[in-house]
């Protein structure tokens, strides 16, 4: 087993990984920026190293400083969490050259799945259905018009290097394309350092359903079932995720699981990863992308499978084989995660920052909390607004929904604005409670078209 692991991340996910390390007897090293000195992840790690000033580029994305921290600490391996360096092949390569292991897939698999165009090629190559669209990136506006005409409107323009819901534009008619093309390109260039755009048919009213996969270095690859993540904000960012997707017919579930394992295996995948699909109203599914890292919403899978994904990731990196086969994986109960963010629902979800003066967290049976925050912690404007993940588990979906409603009623954060009041209304809405929703539900709910 590894003896010391550095966590190249911050916030709740750093806390999650630090705890996993401690449970396995692995020493943990946190990194932090100057403004994150008081974050819980710094307090609960065995060691902590400051990697720079507040901004991400100065600290958590400062490659030289992070690599130096890895060396100074004597860590044998680095867990990247999500975001930051987690899907950057050059980070894994740099670690390798220092003789440090990367808790994640091999570099080749990160590269193969790194951009949406090559990921779709890999999926097509192993016979997995993909969302109809352009063959790779589209060179210019004229070509874009031709491709769109062929596919049929509405279409989406997507940044090839995109992630986190950014760089996606919907085009409903040819006369809109020119302006939106320019916007999408500029946005992609600014956010991802690449202006490359691909075109996809816009699937109307789909469900976002993703499959958790995990593989070891001995060629074993299994899946841990699906997560339903259609409750997304206006910017395609997930808000509420659940496992399982109760209304998914079992034969579709099985086919999606097999497709995910096939795609992952085809690129030599190892460790934890997620294959994302869109499912249309006929329950036909289409490959969307693969995230080559631990996903924000991984806890709901842990709750219904009883598998600790962080433990498994660390064990696989230590060279151990997967301790179970596909037949050993069983799903029991129902789990839902709510992302609690420092965003003000009364101000168009603008970020809210400052001192948390009060923090009264919910509790009770089967209520799990993942957070780096507490009363007295100050939320800085530099980072993602995620404050906490509230995860509830029930015997079935209805039970879990009631538990979520109860827990959100109890949850009080003062000093800053949060999305809790909004989440309370959302989880009480008829469409949400009945499970009748798609990726357009939150936009409709905000527009007053869903109750
Ligand atoms: P998940 O399904 O795990 O939520 P997301 O794609 O929403 O996956 O990304 C999770 C986190 O990683 C978010 O904090 C998001 O802002 C960040 N992220 C994802 N992709 C990128 C990227 N290409 N560049 C920077 N941050 C990213
Ligand atoms: P990201 O890398 O930003 O996570 P994804 O390709 O995973 O981008 O898409 C994020 C979300 O955007 C999806 O969950 C879905 O809601 C929406 N979306 C993406 N592609 C399509 C599509 N072709 N048709 C309809 N909705 C889509
Ligand atoms: Mg995605």
């Amino acid at each position: 087993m590894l003896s010391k692991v550095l966590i190249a991340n911050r916030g709740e996910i750093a806390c999650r990984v630090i705890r996993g390390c401690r449970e396995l007897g692995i020493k943990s090293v946190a990194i932090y920026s100057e403004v994150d000195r008081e974050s819980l992840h710094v307090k609960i790690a065995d060691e902590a190293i400051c990697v720079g000033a507040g901004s991400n580029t100065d600290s958590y994305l400062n490659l030289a400083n992070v690599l130096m921290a890895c060396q100074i600490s004597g860590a044998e391996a680095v867990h990247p969490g999500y975001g930051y360096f987690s899907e950057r092949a050059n980070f894994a390569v740099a670690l390798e050259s220092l003789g440090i292991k990367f808790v994640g897939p091999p570099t080749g698999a990160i590269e193969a799945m790194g951009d949406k165009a090559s990921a779709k090629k890999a999926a097509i190559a192993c016979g997995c259905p993909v969302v109809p669209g352009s063959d790779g990136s589209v060179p210019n506006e004229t070509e874009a018009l031709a491709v769109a005409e062929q596919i049929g409107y509405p279409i989406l323009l997507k940044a090839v290097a995109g992630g986190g819901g950014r760089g996606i534009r919907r085009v409903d008619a040819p006369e809109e394309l020119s302006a939106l093309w320019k916007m999408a390109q500029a946005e992609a260039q600014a956010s991802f350092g690449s202006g490359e755009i691909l075109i996809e048919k816009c699937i109307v009213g789909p469900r976002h359903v993703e499959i958790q996969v995990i593989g070891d270095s001995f060629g074993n690859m299994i899946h841990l079932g699906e997560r339903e993540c259609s409750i997304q904000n206006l910017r395609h960012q997930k808000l509420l995720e659940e496992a399982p997707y109760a209304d998914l017919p079992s034969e579709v579930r099985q086919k999606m699981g097999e497709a995910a394992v096939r795609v992952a295996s085809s690129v030599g995948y190892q460790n934890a990863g997620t294959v994302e699909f869109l499912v249309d109203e006929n329950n036909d599914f289409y490959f969307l992308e693969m995230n080559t890292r631990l996903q924000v919403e991984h806890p709901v899978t842990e709750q219904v499978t009883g598998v600790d994904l962080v433990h498994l990731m660390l064990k696989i990196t230590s060279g151990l084989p997967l301790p179970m086969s596909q037949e050993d994986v069983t799903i029991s109960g129902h789990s839902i995660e709510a992302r609690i963010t420092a965003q003000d629902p009364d101000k168009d979800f603008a970020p809210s920052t400052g001192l948390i003066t009060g923090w009264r967290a919910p509790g009770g049976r089967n209520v799990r909390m993942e957070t780096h925050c507490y009363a007295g912690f100050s939320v800085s404007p530099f980072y993602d607004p995620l404050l906490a993940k509230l995860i509830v588990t029930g015997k079935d979906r209805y039970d879990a929904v009631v538990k979520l409603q109860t827990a959100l009623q109890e949850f009080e954060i003062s000093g800053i604005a949060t999305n809790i009041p909004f989440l309370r209304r959302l989880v009480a809405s008829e469409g949400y409670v009945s499970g009748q929703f798609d990726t357009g539900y939150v936009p409709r709910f905000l527009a007053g078209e869903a109750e």
Side-chain angles (χ1 to χ4, degrees):
M1 185 65 75
L2 298 166
S3 59
K4 197 181 213 184
V5 169
L6 181 140
I7 297 89
N9 214 299
R10 65 177 299 281
E12 66 84 18
I13 196 63
C15 295
R16 167 73 188 92
V17 177
I18 289 164
R19 291 188 181 118
C21 288
R22 171 142 315 146
E23 288 156 4
L24 294 179
I26 299 171
K27 288 256 176 299
S28 58
V29 185
I31 60 168
Y32 63 98
S33 70
E34 280 166 18
V35 308
D36 260 346
R37 214 169 274 281
E38 299 300 325
S39 170
L40 195 60
H41 81 280
V42 179
K43 296 176 190 287
I44 67 174
D46 292 309
E47 292 169 35
I49 299 176
C50 183
V51 289
S55 81
N56 280 318
T57 41
D58 283 338
S59 53
Y60 300 104
L61 284 175
N62 183 330
L63 184 62
N65 285 9
V66 172
L67 290 175
M68 211 181 309
C70 297
Q71 276 196 297
I72 291 168
S73 68
E76 274 177 86
V78 172
H79 194 300
Y82 53 74
Y84 292 124
F85 290 132
S86 61
E87 296 187 90
R88 303 219 183 156
N90 67 333
F91 182 64
V93 169
L95 287 177
E96 200 174 302
S97 71
L98 297 173
I100 299 171
K101 290 178 174 143
F102 179 71
V103 184
T107 321
I110 304 178
E111 279 165 349
M113 291 299 169
D115 73 60
K116 293 187 197 297
S118 61
K120 280 178 86 170
K121 281 206 179 79
I124 292 168
C126 52
C128 176
V130 301
V131 182
S134 57
D135 183 17
S137 72
V138 179
N140 54 49
E141 231 177 280
T142 322
E143 189 78 13
L145 266 174
V147 174
E149 202 59 48
Q150 205 188 340
I151 297 170
Y153 292 89
I155 55 126
L156 292 184
L157 304 176
K158 289 170 93 169
V160 169
R166 279 169 304 160
I168 301 179
R169 296 273 173 176
R170 175 176 164 149
V171 187
D172 287 300
E175 54 273 20
E176 292 176 359
L177 195 129
S178 179
L180 290 165
W181 172 268
K182 290 185 182 76
M183 262 190 250
Q185 246 188 350
E187 194 175 294
Q189 185 67 48
S191 309
F192 309 108
S194 150
E196 277 190 72
I197 302 289
L198 61 75
I199 294 183
E200 256 175 25
K201 180 157 192 65
C202 181
I203 310 280
V204 179
R207 294 272 191 159
H208 175 116
V209 183
E210 57 187 35
I211 305 282
Q212 176 73 54
V213 296
I214 191 152
D216 62 21
S217 55
F218 302 92
N220 302 306
M221 172 76 62
I222 62 170
H223 70 85
L224 298 173
E226 79 280 6
R227 292 185 287 260
E228 206 292 347
C229 312
S230 301
I231 300 290
Q232 305 177 351
N233 68 17
L234 297 173
R235 291 163 60 209
H236 307 289
Q237 292 163 330
K238 298 162 185 166
L239 267 176
L240 297 169
E241 303 104 332
E242 59 188 273
Y245 169 17
D247 290 337
L248 191 67
S250 60
E251 68 274 13
V252 182
R253 171 176 294 123
Q254 192 183 337
K255 276 193 191 144
M256 289 180 76
E258 286 165 4
V261 166
R262 213 163 52 235
V263 171
S265 299
S266 79
V267 298
Y269 205 84
Q270 291 172 28
N271 225 303
T274 296
V275 182
E276 297 190 331
F277 296 95
L278 288 182
V279 177
D280 69 14
E281 54 197 0
N282 303 318
N283 282 321
D284 286 326
F285 61 87
Y286 307 92
F287 173 90
L288 204 50
E289 65 163 345
M290 179 168 187
N291 291 327
T292 57
R293 53 170 163 86
L294 187 64
Q295 200 103 344
V296 175
E297 57 275 22
H298 75 276
V300 294
T301 296
E302 296 184 321
Q303 294 300 121
V304 298
T305 58
V307 169
D308 187 310
L309 280 163
V310 170
H311 284 188
L312 272 190
M313 291 181 84
L314 293 164
K315 287 179 180 173
I316 287 164
T317 308
S318 302
L320 295 171
L322 269 181
M324 75 278 228
S325 62
Q326 191 65 59
E327 297 75 59
D328 300 324
V329 179
T330 53
I331 309 292
S332 74
H334 197 96
S335 186
I336 309 177
E337 170 182 284
R339 298 194 191 193
I340 313 295
T341 64
Q343 288 176 300
D344 190 344
D346 294 331
K347 291 184 182 154
D348 266 343
F349 295 91
S352 168
T353 59
L355 184 69
I356 297 175
T357 53
W359 182 275
R360 203 176 73 205
R365 183 166 168 251
N366 293 332
V367 175
R368 168 175 170 184
M369 186 75 88
E370 298 287 346
T371 185
H372 58 290
C373 298
Y374 52 89
F377 180 73
S378 212
V379 177
S380 114
F382 290 119
Y383 314 114
D384 191 277
L386 187 69
L387 297 174
K389 299 185 311 204
L390 168 63
I391 302 113
V392 298
T393 308
K395 66 178 194 304
D396 53 26
R397 186 171 192 274
Y398 182 75
D399 197 31
V401 169
V402 170
K403 217 175 260 291
L404 180 61
Q405 292 169 338
T406 309
L408 282 169
Q409 277 310 327
E410 260 180 57
F411 207 166
E412 292 284 351
I413 298 171
S414 33
I416 57 168
T418 74
N419 67 343
I420 292 176
F422 168 71
L423 289 174
R424 285 181 190 145
R425 292 195 297 277
L426 182 63
V427 303
S429 69
E430 201 185 304
Y432 183 72
V433 173
S434 66
Q436 301 303 303
F437 52 78
D438 57 54
T439 57
Y441 187 71
V442 173
R444 290 198 297 277
F445 180 75
L446 285 168
E449 295 159 13
E451 301 246 318

